[in-house]
Amino acid sequence: MNPLLNALNLNRSSVADAYGLNSKKTDTSKTDASKTKPSTDAKSSTKDTPKTEAKPSDEIALSPRALRAQKIQAMSKDFFADGQFSVSDIPALVSRLQKDGILSDAQVERLSQNGINLPSQKPNKQSLQDFIDDELKSLAEKSPNSPMINTLVDAKNVLSNMDDAQSPALAQKATKVFGQLTDYLNSNPTMSDSQKQLWQGLKSTMQVASSMGMQQSASGQLSSYLALAKR
C-alpha cells in the first residue's frame, strides 16, 4: 500500500479520537439502551402513592318525617309495649313527646287549654288497657247495645298501635274517640272518683294521640320539625 495513504488513514483516526467522535458512538448506544429499560423510580413512586378508598358512610341522614316516626316508635316501646300505661304515666308521656319534638311547645299549650287532664297527686295505677277490658266486660253484661262499646274498642286499638301514631288513620280514630269520650263525660254519668279519673285519663291519652298525627296544620308540622332539628 502507498505510504501516503497509510499516513492519511492514521491521521484521520487520530483526529477522530482527539475530538471524541469514536467514543460518542459508544455513548449513544448506551443512551439508546437506557431508554429501553423501564424506570425503577417511576415504579417505586407508583407503589408509594397511597390509595384512597371510598368508605361507606356510617350514618344515613333521616328526613324529618322518618326521624319523627323513629322517635314515636321508641316512645311507644317505652310507654305502651307492655300494655301497662296508666293515668299516672300521662305527665311523663307528654314531657317525653315535647322533649323529642313530637309535640311542639305550642301543641302542648293547646292541649292544656283544651282541657287535657293530668292526674292528681294520687293517680290510679290501673293500666288503661285493663280499665278498658273491665268496662267492656261490664257493658257487655249490662248494656250490650251501648255505643260506648265501639268507642272503647277503638280506644284500645289506638293504645295498641301507638307506634304508628303519626299515621292519619290512627290519628283520626283517636280524634273520634276523644270526641265521643268528651260527650260521654259531659253527660255527667254516675261513677266513682277513681272511675272518673280513669275515664278522664283515657280521654286525655286520646287527645295526645290525635295531636301526634301528620294531618296537623302546616304551622304545627313546622314547629314540630324545628323542635326535632334542635335535638
Side-chain angles (χ1 to χ4, degrees):
M1 178 179 285
N2 192 324
L4 181 59
L5 291 177
N6 287 334
L8 289 173
N9 288 334
L10 290 174
N11 288 335
R12 287 175 183 172
S13 176
S14 299
V15 171
D17 290 337
Y19 284 91
L21 295 179
N22 291 334
S23 61
K24 187 176 182 180
K25 291 182 181 180
T26 305
D27 293 342
T28 302
S29 62
K30 289 182 179 181
T31 303
D32 293 341
S34 65
K35 288 182 181 180
T36 60
K37 294 181 181 179
S39 174
T40 57
D41 293 340
K43 286 185 179 181
S44 61
S45 62
T46 303
K47 290 181 180 179
D48 295 339
T49 303
K51 295 182 179 179
T52 57
E53 298 180 357
K55 296 182 179 180
S57 176
D58 294 334
E59 297 182 359
I60 300 176
L62 296 178
S63 68
R65 178 166 183 161
L67 181 59
R68 190 172 191 273
Q70 188 180 72
K71 287 179 177 291
I72 287 176
Q73 290 173 357
M75 173 278 301
S76 177
K77 180 179 179 181
D78 292 342
F79 284 89
F80 296 95
D82 60 0
Q84 297 302 308
F85 182 81
S86 68
V87 175
S88 63
D89 296 319
I90 293 178
L93 172 65
V94 174
S95 178
R96 167 74 172 270
L97 295 175
Q98 186 176 18
K99 179 182 178 181
D100 286 351
I102 298 171
L103 295 180
S104 66
D105 294 344
Q107 286 176 300
V108 174
E109 179 64 24
R110 284 198 297 271
L111 288 173
S112 178
Q113 292 175 354
N114 291 337
I116 184 172
N117 292 283
L118 299 181
S120 60
Q121 293 181 352
K122 294 182 180 180
N124 195 306
K125 294 291 186 179
Q126 184 182 17
S127 74
L128 292 181
Q129 291 275 20
D130 290 343
F131 165 67
I132 291 174
D133 289 339
D134 290 345
E135 290 297 322
L136 285 173
K137 183 179 179 180
S138 177
L139 287 172
E141 294 174 355
K142 300 175 182 179
S143 304
N145 296 322
S146 172
M148 287 306 298
I149 292 178
N150 289 333
T151 297
L152 290 173
V153 169
D154 286 343
K156 187 172 183 178
N157 180 264
V158 171
L159 293 176
S160 300
N161 293 280
M162 286 295 283
D163 60 334
D164 194 31
Q166 75 170 353
S167 72
L170 196 71
Q172 289 170 8
K173 182 176 289 188
T175 301
K176 183 182 74 170
V177 173
F178 168 70
Q180 292 170 339
L181 291 174
T182 300
D183 291 341
Y184 174 68
L185 290 172
N186 287 342
S187 67
N188 295 318
T190 302
M191 62 180 69
S192 66
D193 290 343
S194 179
Q195 283 181 310
K196 186 174 182 179
Q197 187 184 81
L198 288 165
W199 281 103
Q200 292 281 10
L202 182 60
K203 185 190 81 167
S204 296
T205 304
M206 292 299 108
Q207 188 178 6
V208 172
S210 67
S211 299
M212 294 163 61
M214 289 303 294
Q215 82 282 10
Q216 304 165 20
S217 65
S219 60
Q221 288 185 3
L222 179 59
S223 298
S224 179
Y225 289 162
L226 289 176
L228 279 170
K230 293 177 182 178
R231 289 170 169 54

